[in-house]
Amino acid sequence: MPGSLRIVMAQLNLLVGDVDGNASLVLEAARRAQNELQADAIVFPELALTGYPPEDLLLRPELYRLVDRALERLCEARLDIDLVVGHPRRENGRSYNTASVVRGGHVIACYDKQCLPNYAVFDEKRYFSAGTEPAVFDLRGVPTALTICEDIWEPGPAAAAAAQGARLLLNLNASPYHMTKWRQREAEVAQRARENAVPIVYVNLVGGQDELVFDGDSFVVDGAGQVALRAPAFDTGLFPVDLRDGAPVPGECAPVLADDESVYRAIVLGVRDYVDKNGFPGVVIGLSGGIDSALTLAIAVDALGADRVEAVMMPSTYTRDISIEDAKREAELLGVRYTMIPIAPVFDAFRGALDERFQGLSTDITEENLQARIRGTLLMAISNKTGAMVLTTGNKSEMAVGYATLYGDMVGGFGAIKDVPKMLVYRLARYRNQLGEVIPRRVLTRAPSAELAPDQEDTDSLPPYEVLDPILERYVERDESVGDIVAAGFDEATVRRVVRMVDRNEYKRRQAAPGVRVTPRAFGRDRRYPITSGLGRGESG
Amino acid sequence: MPGSLRIVMAQLNLLVGDVDGNASLVLEAARRAQNELQADAIVFPELALTGYPPEDLLLRPELYRLVDRALERLCEARLDIDLVVGHPRRENGRSYNTASVVRGGHVIACYDKQCLPNYAVFDEKRYFSAGTEPAVFDLRGVPTALTICEDIWEPGPAAAAAAQGARLLLNLNASPYHMTKWRQREAEVAQRARENAVPIVYVNLVGGQDELVFDGDSFVVDGAGQVALRAPAFDTGLFPVDLRDGAPVPGECAPVLADDESVYRAIVLGVRDYVDKNGFPGVVIGLSGGIDSALTLAIAVDALGADRVEAVMMPSTYTRDISIEDAKREAELLGVRYTMIPIAPVFDAFRGALDERFQGLSTDITEENLQARIRGTLLMAISNKTGAMVLTTGNKSEMAVGYATLYGDMVGGFGAIKDVPKMLVYRLARYRNQLGEVIPRRVLTRAPSAELAPDQEDTDSLPPYEVLDPILERYVERDESVGDIVAAGFDEATVRRVVRMVDRNEYKRRQAAPGVRVTPRAFGRDRRYPITSGLGRGESG
């Protein structure tokens, strides 16, 4: 079929470090693309054989031995389809982030990534040397070049490939999700297409890997930068695109998800993959009657199914009746196992044990933290006994200002809404309730409270979330100073107080469970702050 | 005095982020060097104005504004001595790791670091662009060039400076400690001196910053690579070196410390600085009667003084009498406040609370962890009530294989011996006892036990530490594979078991407190592993 070409975008969910398993998934996809889709080539994501990001596994010589063996397997399969597959490569003591084209029994082209991201969550210069050359190969008569992820965010590599005659670009990606990122990607790739008047096939990974979620969202643009085809977000699959006379034939464009739905689905995928890839039978969640744990419960059930989720309510004397009622109702609505364990007897035992040491000292935040730690210990006991992982329920606003108890409500293996600011927590809860009401309405309307002291409300310690969240976004995500934020119209005393809370609580975040990243800057690998820091300490206020 | 030149090495302890405070320390040192030591120049460490490493503070525009103001202060002081001071610098949207020479009211020379380390604990390519040019300036008739830390570990920058006529190199460093590193540094710097036949003044920071300790150990080599002068390790101070006709005059060489002493002192400094720089009044330590907590207690007292240290013994029914006796004796020998809180009543209360949920399930590791978590919660209660920080007592061997309870014995703000393998724990304890016996002898000789179950010993769960520690070093620090380690003579089943434990417990380490790095690869910023990883999962055994 001269002038006609079918390429499959393999939007796969791979497992970091499982080179052999990933190679099997690659081969299986290639066979399907060949036999069921009659494709000429199949394009896999960046570093498909190791998964992304392999982090310091890339420093282990054995990883490269496993990759070499996997590449041999791909060659030995001698398929009638070109496999374009990402993998790390070692030569003369240097490592490269590489894409190879396997045709028949041989690697016929090999490209080393030129632009190595070393910002935000990325550490590629820790591992890789940069390539310097385009790799152009003939794909059924079409001169085709490879680029890898960051390469397409800068003008150079695509231009160099076009200058060597490339009429089609295949871009392999492991581009992690954050809200609205799809828009940047499509704009950037369209720009490269227009600059060089070449179509670009953009293939991205799907799945959760620790803090990161990869959203797929693979797509094809034509030489004018128009989207010709878009694969769905958050789903795996093989998506064929036909090119006629070098131009992509317009195909199905999966609709772009609204922000709330996209964040919700990113978290569901992140939780599912963390739990499943780490082999947990299920999760256990402490319910408080508040919105954070209610939303986390809904996410867990959507991710794992009700039979893999257990809810535990651990009331104290400060817990209001409506909290107990609402927690029970949440468990009922979602159909999960529900246990109630009052903590008063344990609390009394602790107070007794500490009585002598605390003689003459007055009640303070110690007793509040004690309650949270009893709950954390009870959850961990259930986790140890059943094998289920504790899913933490803290949100990003709390994480930022340290409004959480270390070893208390912070216990757990993974944080579903760790990167979700409180105002967005409400939006996600409303979104989820639109699909079927699972969070009782008054959980969405009552004032948030930790219920660790009589009549406590979050606003006793924090500004209202309508004020707190934008300050946090400016300080944490945009690196604005106190002066910048005040200049934007916020009260100076409030801003100073918030910034101090953020700075002083770095030590808590350092011991926090990982959680799904959904904003442009999450706490974790994305924000590397010193615990010991004098910045801002000298300032007044 | 033609042909004669006096340079002061300023081995200072600075605070990350406290630009204004650091500038004051710099000015105070410069005035002393000028007035008391009659020096011509004073050389400060790398990034002295921000401290090292500032990490993502370098992404905040306000940091550069503070640095500019601090440089103005140094200029406005109009001293009669040259200040060679490290600081970050921003120009055209790029940041540089820079050293400036302040003479009178002006910056007369400015050098941007050329070799940016981006491995191990270093992330400099995350922040900085590389300089490309030497900076040679006239220092009282001697053509002098600047280099910064990593620059001197490669031949290029020194050679380029020499080619431009430099007859003296001033190398500004923030070189973190690990055991025997001084030897590598002196060998590397001597090599550069010989290659270019120039003397080199090597000035290093002192002090603890989160995981890192900077050991000072500043020195001078002559043009033949001979050490002419060495400042003491772990102490701050101003150390003058005289050069006559361009050659350093041999001066006092502080003795090199033996390994055990050097590790011990690094930890003492790391603990002191973490506690003091973060403003804690003192520390609280849970004693078990075992060697780890005994050593940690001694370190804490050496770092902070007995009046800032509290010891707590929390026996259970499994705690042997000799453990209680030894713990008490340790506290007595060191003169610290000692409290005993039996945990049985709290343990019983937890068992009661969980009774219904655990119906029909048998006793297992859950109950062991519960005891550890009760202790952690008690320590945190004392911490919350008094403001003292919990100092954790876990060693590197335990951290590696996960032989520790998350939210239990792992609670705390900082780990003194977190990077010390168990066999080295014994050596350090013996070293400390030579200075005065503070650890009862039988603590050093009895078999290690967690005492969480009847007659438990560490060797029930782990290989003997004589076998475990070398396997861990090979796997964790040298990236050897199972095959490599077996080939070196270790039992295959044991190696596989250890490697699996290391891999599976990454999630615990991710939530561990930071601790002092003393080996070439510590857990923390130094070793970035995925929690979710399939590497090795597929292998048999």
Side-chain angles (χ1 to χ4, degrees), chain B residues 36-90:
Chain B
E36 297 169 25
L37 301 170
Q38 287 78 44
D40 300 294
I42 178 166
V43 183
F44 295 93
E46 179 179 15
L47 292 187
L49 293 182
T50 56
Y52 194 93
E55 301 191 80
D56 280 8
L57 299 180
L58 287 165
L59 303 179
R60 305 196 71 85
E62 65 191 290
L63 190 76
Y64 298 86
R65 292 196 293 268
L66 291 168
V67 166
D68 288 345
R69 244 186 284 160
L71 281 170
E72 278 167 35
R73 274 179 67 198
L74 302 191
C75 287
E76 283 160 10
R78 293 186 176 273
L79 301 182
D80 288 327
I81 180 175
D82 287 0
L83 280 71
V84 182
V85 62
H87 60 89
R89 184 176 79 82
R90 220 167 150 67

Side-chain angles (χ1 to χ4, degrees), chain A residues 385, chain B residues 288-290 313-324 341-345 347-348 351 362-372 374-375 446-457 460:
Chain A
K385 196 65 97 184
Chain B
S288 69
M313 176 69 186
M314 297 164 284
S316 75
T317 50
Y318 305 121
T319 307
R320 283 164 226 183
D321 289 341
I322 61 164
S323 298
I324 300 178
I341 306 178
I343 66 168
F347 187 58
D348 290 343
R351 298 242 277 193
S362 52
T363 298
D364 57 13
I365 201 168
T366 306
E367 285 71 21
E368 298 187 26
N369 286 337
L370 199 44
Q371 297 167 62
I374 290 167
R375 293 189 177 113
R446 57 185 287 215
S449 164
E451 295 193 339
L452 292 168
D455 301 321
Q456 190 176 38
E457 292 193 0
D460 300 344

